[in-house]
């Protein structure tokens, strides 16, 4: 289930029928959303039959045929890249919209079975830099994270986020579920009242990790505080 980590002034759910920009590394993702414990998903052995977040939100927001007039997308950045080539196009899309959904976080190139994160537990690549610029635009924005392990943000960036949602790797129907969780439809009689669940882990702030003197690569049970990542 999705976990609503932050929702200042009850900005979520967003209303349908408004112009929405869906940006971020996973905005048009069909693969990372599935996680990495899966068999064949589509009949042609690809992921082409998987609905991505942009497509699902476009249907939810636009009410069908008008979706293309209300919903735009631009990645802005990749999951783990330092290229800024896509920043401006995505920022322009956000500026021209009423609401913004950022879908980013992690994927199998950063974490999976036999692949641990060794460069910290913040957003990889330049996602944080892009998010900082995106949030400075000042539009009502929902930050959605695909991830297995937790993620942290510095306090200044976290303070800028109107809404923050932990989505895990939500699977084949994840995009449709996400669209329903983030947006009110024109008729919501079929939606459950409670759109979000409870977290299974503790989310420390970036400052919290520093205060805990935590070393993700420290495996000694006798030095320092005598506890490893398993404690957390």
């Amino acid at each position: 289930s999705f976990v609503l980590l932050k929702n200042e002034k009850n900005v979520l759910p967003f209303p349908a029928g408004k112009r929405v920009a869906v940006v971020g590394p996973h905005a048009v993702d069909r693969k990372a959303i599935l996680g990495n414990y899966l068999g064949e998903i589509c009949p042609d052995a690809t992921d082409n039959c998987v609905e991505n977040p942009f497509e699902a939100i476009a249907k939810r927001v636009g009410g069908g045929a008008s979706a293309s007039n209300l919903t735009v997308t631009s990645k802005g950045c990749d999951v783990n890249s330092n290229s800024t080539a896509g920043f401006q196009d995505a920022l322009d899309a956000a500026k021209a919209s009423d609401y913004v959904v950022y879908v980013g976080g992690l994927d199998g190139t950063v974490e999976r079975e036999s692949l641990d994160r060794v460069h910290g537990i913040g957003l990889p690549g330049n996602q944080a830099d892009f998010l900082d610029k995106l949030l400075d635009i000042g539009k009502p924005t929902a930050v959605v994270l695909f991830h297995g392990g937790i993620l942290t943000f510095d306090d200044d960036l976290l303070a800028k986020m109107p809404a923050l949602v932990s989505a895990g790797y939500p699977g084949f129907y994840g995009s449709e579920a996400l669209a329903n969780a983030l947006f009110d439809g024109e008729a919501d009689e079929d939606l459950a009242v409670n759109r979000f669940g409870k977290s299974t882990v503790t989310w420390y702030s970036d400052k919290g990790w520093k205060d805990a003197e935590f070393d993700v690569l420290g495996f000694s049970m006798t030095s320092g505080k005598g506890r490893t990542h398993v404690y957390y």
Side-chain angles (χ1 to χ4, degrees):
S1 69
F2 304 121
V3 180
L4 185 61
L5 297 172
K6 186 178 181 183
N7 192 25
E8 280 194 349
K9 300 179 180 178
N10 293 320
V11 65
L12 289 179
F14 293 150
K18 301 292 185 179
R19 187 169 175 84
V20 178
V22 186
V23 302
H26 295 316
V28 293
D29 167 71
R30 303 184 192 279
K31 186 174 182 179
I33 193 172
L34 300 172
N36 65 357
Y37 285 98
L38 65 157
E40 183 176 320
I41 297 298
C42 304
D44 61 355
T46 70
D47 51 20
N48 292 333
C49 67
V50 181
E51 186 175 50
N52 64 45
F54 165 67
E55 292 167 337
I57 290 172
K59 286 195 302 187
R60 180 79 175 146
V61 170
S66 63
S68 61
N69 297 323
L70 290 173
T71 315
V72 296
T73 187
S74 179
K75 286 202 306 181
C77 62
D78 292 319
V79 167
N80 192 19
S81 170
N82 290 318
S83 172
T84 62
F87 275 26
Q88 195 57 54
D89 187 61
L91 294 174
D92 289 343
K95 291 174 183 176
S97 300
D98 299 306
Y99 296 90
V100 180
V101 178
Y102 175 90
V103 193
L106 309 177
D107 65 11
T109 68
V110 180
E111 59 169 9
R112 64 176 185 271
E113 192 77 28
S114 80
L115 179 64
D116 292 334
R117 288 180 286 168
V118 296
H119 301 297
I121 51 177
L123 284 171
N126 57 11
Q127 287 190 67
D129 292 337
F130 174 69
L131 256 180
D132 193 48
K133 297 179 185 301
L134 180 71
L135 294 168
D136 278 344
I137 295 173
K139 296 296 178 79
T141 301
V143 177
V144 179
L145 304 176
F146 286 1
H147 64 105
I150 68 165
L151 286 158
T152 61
F153 305 92
D154 68 54
D155 291 343
D156 290 340
L157 184 59
L158 186 61
K160 291 182 180 181
M161 297 180 190
L164 177 61
V165 175
S166 165
Y169 295 114
F172 186 86
Y173 294 104
S175 292
E176 180 182 0
L178 181 63
N180 289 342
L182 296 180
F183 290 88
D184 276 336
E186 296 174 355
D188 278 331
E189 294 83 1
D190 59 331
L191 287 184
V193 173
N194 187 357
R195 305 173 189 220
F196 299 97
K198 294 184 177 181
S199 179
T200 59
V201 296
T202 298
W203 287 72
Y204 285 86
S205 68
D206 192 49
K207 181 179 183 298
W209 287 112
K210 291 183 174 66
D211 289 346
E213 299 176 17
F214 175 68
D215 176 11
V216 71
L217 297 180
F219 299 104
S220 173
M221 294 297 292
T222 57
S223 64
K225 294 184 179 294
R227 59 193 182 211
T228 70
H229 68 286
V230 176
Y231 173 87
Y232 293 95

